[in-house]
Amino acid sequence: MLDPFGEEARRLVEEEFGGITELLTIIPSYVSEEEALERVSFDWDHVPRELLELEDIKDLLTFYALLGALAFSPYGIEMELVREANLRVYLERIKLSPSLEGLSVPLEKVKRNEIPPRDRAILEKTHHREISGGEKEKLRLAYRVHLSRFLSLWDGSLKEVYVRKGYAYVTRDQALELWKRSFERNFERAVNLLYEVRDELPNFYRKLYERLGEIARERFRERLEKFGRAEAGPLRFDLFPPCVKTALGGVPAGLRNYAITVLLTSFLSYARLCPNPPRRDVRVRDCVESLDVIEREILPVIIEAGNRCKPPLFEDQPHEIKNIWYHLGFGLTDKPTLEDSGNSPWYFPPNCSKIRANAPELCKPDRDCRNIKNPLTYYLRKLYLESRRENQGKGQDEGSEGSGVRGDE
Ligand code: SF4
């Protein structure tokens, strides 16, 4: 398979398997953990032939097995491992393929005489004798893509491309660059989609995720030793999603209980104590050894936000504090001990669809909300991007290389 997000793959997922959730349900019967892990365990400089020649269905099942595993931690080193390794596999296959048609980017071959000869002569340097045939081939505008699709993927300068009659004309290298962007975007979208159904996934994926973690720690060992891993840590208010920022600013009477008790309490507690819960029924005491962090860093923020509401929530409804502890999993109390955690469920942040249904005024999406299904993943994604940026900065300072796919196409 050339592209796991291309036309043929989409058709197979929808028509042959009945959708992505159904596909994930049957995968454990057809794919072993080892087979899925082969896709990330090879020497990244040499994609093995077995992976390049994998039969289409097997290719799809093993790739989606890895995506299913990532539903448990969408923005960690495991995601980076799966994305980078599979980018290499697919990129290598695409390079070996004579045609780029059928990819997730709708590339069309440019027909003869479609580009005026004068423009072609200038852009492709066809009359330059000093340029070798191979170099000229690299300059050839071989594909075109509709401008709207092109603009959604391209973040270089528009001066680098030839635009004519609603199409961007690109070289093969530029086409591959577009495909990489599209792959990364589809990859992130799929992982976010699966995050919503992770509690329903068979245990196979949890185990696969744990093994991915082992391989990722080994693969990125040097970097982790140097820069550490982004884990539970002080809250970064600047990276919060718009709905949480709105709740923090205080809201009117009709929204107070939902914004403060349901959204803010669950969001702040998971974001600070347990961003990637190991299982569904996790308790606070599984993640911390004392109530200090809750009492010093989480509760004051919730109470201040409650006080900013109009009218102030806890003045009006002092018993609501007990409800906060209830939502944190301590039962209905205002003097909990750590041992009480587990007396009620620790509520997980509601998905965006629930927030939009129950409190539409809270959801004012910004551009980072695109593809996001839960406010916690918004935050995890921003933390991930932030730490990547910081690591790249430090890496450059120290003259080291980043971990991205090398620009070798
Ligand atoms: S899309 Fe989701 S994360 Fe973004 S503001 Fe709406 S509810 Fe919050």
Side-chain angles (χ1 to χ4, degrees):
M1 176 150 299
L2 265 192
D3 186 343
F5 302 113
E7 264 170 55
E8 176 58 6
R10 278 173 203 265
R11 192 195 64 75
L12 282 171
V13 171
E14 288 307 318
E15 290 176 21
E16 302 286 326
F17 297 103
I20 191 162
T21 320
E22 289 73 9
L23 174 67
L24 290 183
T25 313
I26 62 132
I27 281 177
S29 317
Y30 292 92
V31 168
S32 67
E33 283 174 33
E34 268 61 35
E35 284 174 308
L37 293 172
E38 275 168 23
R39 302 189 68 105
V40 296
S41 314
F42 59 92
D43 168 4
W44 284 5
D45 290 330
H46 302 284
V47 182
R49 236 188 50 215
E50 308 84 75
L51 281 180
L52 292 177
E53 293 173 359
L54 211 55
E55 178 260 323
D56 277 1
I57 297 287
K58 197 72 170 180
D59 186 59
L60 196 75
L61 296 181
T62 46
F63 179 70
Y64 274 82
L66 296 175
L67 286 185
L70 294 180
F72 294 98
S73 172
Y75 291 102
I77 49 173
E78 297 81 6
M79 178 180 90
E80 198 165 330
L81 174 82
V82 174
R83 191 190 55 215
E84 297 301 319
N86 285 281
L87 252 176
R88 282 165 164 83
V89 174
Y90 288 115
L91 203 50
E92 198 57 35
R93 283 192 206 160
I94 291 172
K95 281 184 196 167
L96 294 171
S97 164
S99 164
L100 300 188
E101 281 160 311
L103 300 182
S104 53
V105 184
L107 293 159
E108 298 170 26
K109 265 195 175 146
V110 174
K111 296 187 194 87
R112 270 176 78 85
N113 304 330
E114 195 175 324
I115 300 174
R118 212 177 69 94
D119 291 357
R120 208 182 259 288
I122 296 169
L123 294 161
E124 297 181 352
K125 300 193 170 49
T126 43
H127 301 319
H128 287 240
R129 293 221 181 103
E130 75 283 8
I131 298 179
S132 70
E135 286 301 306
K136 278 187 188 156
E137 187 54 31
K138 283 190 162 192
L139 294 173
R140 199 162 70 81
L141 298 174
Y143 295 92
R144 69 175 199 176
V145 58
H146 202 274
L147 200 52
S148 58
R149 187 79 175 107
F150 175 83
L151 290 174
S152 73
L153 292 169
W154 189 253
D155 54 12
S157 162
L158 267 183
K159 284 186 195 150
E160 294 165 35
V161 286
Y162 177 65
V163 176
R164 182 180 159 80
K165 294 188 177 170
Y167 284 88
Y169 288 75
V170 293
T171 63
R172 191 175 158 91
D173 283 355
Q174 287 172 323
L176 291 179
E177 198 53 46
L178 287 176
W179 173 80
K180 263 166 61 179
R181 300 257 161 76
S182 169
F183 177 89
E184 285 171 344
R185 203 167 284 178
N186 281 315
F187 185 89
E188 204 178 321
R189 192 175 292 154
V191 173
N192 270 291
L193 199 74
L194 297 175
Y195 185 78
E196 267 194 306
V197 295
R198 71 195 185 289
D199 289 338
E200 291 149 38
L201 295 178
N203 205 30
F204 168 85
Y205 295 100
R206 165 72 66 190
K207 286 205 246 145
L208 192 55
Y209 168 69
E210 281 160 15
R211 294 193 57 193
L212 277 176
E214 289 162 18
I215 299 172
R217 282 190 289 280
E218 189 51 37
R219 169 77 62 180
F220 302 124
R221 186 155 43 96
E222 225 175 279
R223 202 179 79 196
L224 291 172
E225 279 166 6
K226 229 180 199 171
F227 304 126
R229 181 178 182 170
E231 278 172 347
L235 291 166
R236 289 283 308 269
F237 290 75
D238 53 322
L239 306 181
F240 284 0
C243 49
V244 173
K245 285 185 179 161
T246 305
L248 279 173
V251 293
L255 269 183
R256 291 182 311 176
N257 296 74
Y258 191 88
I260 306 299
T261 313
V262 178
L263 175 61
L264 210 51
T265 303
S266 57
F267 176 86
L268 293 175
S269 55
Y270 274 94
R272 176 64 184 90
L273 307 175
C274 193
N276 285 307
R279 38 169 225 278
R280 191 178 190 171
D281 56 351
V282 67
R283 300 163 304 182
V284 166
R285 69 170 127 143
D286 298 324
C287 308
V288 288
E289 285 170 359
S290 80
L291 292 183
D292 283 3
V293 179
I294 297 189
E295 289 173 342
R296 276 197 267 113
E297 295 180 41
I298 298 175
L299 217 48
V301 179
I302 295 173
I303 291 173
E304 277 171 34
N307 289 342
R308 275 188 216 108
C309 292
K310 290 189 180 77
L313 177 65
F314 300 107
E315 275 177 28
D316 250 23
Q317 304 174 7
H319 62 275
E320 196 59 17
I321 269 294
K322 287 188 183 170
N323 212 4
I324 300 285
W325 283 110
Y326 183 86
H327 277 74
L328 289 169
F330 291 81
L332 217 48
T333 173
D334 53 6
K335 293 209 171 27
T337 63
L338 190 60
E339 285 64 44
D340 291 329
S341 80
N343 285 351
S344 54
W346 180 9
Y347 283 74
F348 196 72
N351 283 339
C352 299
S353 53
K354 279 239 170 73
I355 297 173
R356 278 194 289 271
N358 293 318
E361 301 88 335
L362 290 177
C363 176
K364 297 193 174 63
D366 64 14
R367 61 195 298 265
D368 289 309
C369 288
R370 205 169 44 186
N371 301 328
I372 290 292
K373 307 285 179 195
N374 186 290
L376 190 61
T377 38
Y378 177 107
Y379 181 58
L380 294 178
R381 176 176 181 269
K382 297 275 273 191
L383 278 178
Y384 168 75
L385 294 176
E386 189 79 357
S387 79
R388 209 166 69 161
R389 239 191 317 269
E390 281 167 15
N391 290 349
Q392 273 166 358
K394 283 189 221 165
Q396 269 162 14
D397 289 349
E398 293 171 27
S400 72
E401 284 178 13
S403 71
V405 174
R406 292 184 318 183
D408 54 354
E409 66 275 29

